[in-house]
Amino acid sequence: MAFTLPALKYDKKSLAFLSENTLNFHHGKHLQTYIDTTNKLVANSDYEGKSLEEIIATATGPLFNNAAQAWNHEFYFNCISPEKKEVPANLLKLIEENFESFESFKEHFIASATTNFGSGWTWLCHTGGNKLKIFNTSNAANPMVEGFTPLLTVDVWEHAYYLDFQNRRADYLKEFFEYIDWDFVASNLK
Ligand code: MN
């Protein structure tokens, strides 16, 4: 079964900080291309029939890059909400235990993403026990490969924000943070 473009869970016109134009390109063109290229590279290979997670775990080169970008983008789009949301109590407690306060977590997450050099992703991961950690990765890299569980990610490739924010990545990140789907983030806690 070939991979297909996952539908967004919200209307493209419903986001407060990203335009329909951005989503048309980012979801409709960039993500579609990663999926199409993954399908081409998987066809007639040992990876045929495997899930994206299984591919990411062992693939290298262009197949890793395209399959990981397909996974990362679906996860990222699910991290966004049209409405501002409350952080569920169990997740809030864990964040406060790991980062002293929610405000301090917010500062660290945004600072990390702002200074993630070049194209990449900034993640909040569950690393085992009661431990949470912020990671920066470059290009398509995903902390799942290191054995960590992604809870939240933000795309800091310029294509994620340039049409709406031009070079102002920090402004994009401040807005992104206000519209995180915390129910989705908490649902990723195993
Ligand atoms: Mn992207």
Side-chain angles (χ1 to χ4, degrees):
M1 259 295 275
F3 297 107
T4 55
L5 186 70
L8 290 171
K9 61 186 182 182
Y10 37 77
D11 191 282
K12 283 181 188 162
K13 293 180 180 151
S14 67
L15 298 187
F17 71 108
L18 293 174
S19 63
E20 183 182 15
N21 194 29
T22 285
L23 291 172
N24 281 339
F25 277 97
H26 199 189
H27 178 264
K29 303 279 186 200
H30 288 277
L31 176 51
Q32 182 74 65
T33 301
Y34 293 129
I35 289 169
D36 291 346
T37 307
T38 300
N39 284 331
K40 276 186 203 135
L41 294 171
V42 158
N44 304 313
S45 83
D46 291 346
Y47 287 101
E48 208 157 15
K50 298 246 195 294
S51 68
L52 284 178
E53 287 87 349
E54 288 169 327
I55 295 170
I56 292 166
T58 57
T60 55
L63 178 56
F64 173 83
N65 287 336
N66 283 279
Q69 284 293 82
W71 193 96
N72 296 354
H73 278 89
E74 181 174 6
F75 193 80
Y76 161 75
F77 287 122
N78 279 328
C79 286
I80 298 172
S81 164
E83 302 93 27
K84 296 190 179 186
K85 285 197 169 185
E86 297 288 323
V87 184
N90 63 328
L91 176 62
L92 183 59
K93 184 166 172 281
L94 211 50
I95 287 174
E96 288 170 346
E97 282 169 9
N98 279 270
F99 301 97
E100 293 189 356
S101 68
F102 185 77
E103 268 311 300
S104 157
F105 162 68
K106 177 180 172 180
E107 274 174 33
H108 279 91
F109 186 83
I110 291 176
S112 195
T114 304
T115 56
N116 190 351
F117 189 77
S119 295
W121 302 80
T122 295
W123 308 80
L124 176 69
C125 289
H126 183 215
T127 59
N130 290 326
K131 293 285 176 216
L132 301 183
K133 197 167 177 239
I134 296 167
F135 289 89
N136 279 347
T137 59
S138 291
N139 301 317
N142 182 309
M144 273 195 303
V145 176
E146 318 288 331
F148 304 128
T149 304
L151 303 181
L152 165 69
T153 197
V154 64
D155 187 346
V156 297
W157 286 57
E158 276 189 347
H159 68 221
Y161 59 88
Y162 208 85
L163 293 174
D164 294 322
F165 294 89
Q166 291 76 51
N167 62 325
R168 294 176 291 111
R169 186 194 286 187
D171 291 344
Y172 155 68
L173 293 168
K174 276 179 210 149
E175 291 289 322
F176 168 85
F177 199 91
E178 295 304 308
Y179 292 95
I180 291 172
D181 185 342
W182 292 108
D183 293 319
F184 174 74
V185 177
S187 77
N188 295 313
L189 276 171
K190 303 259 157 68

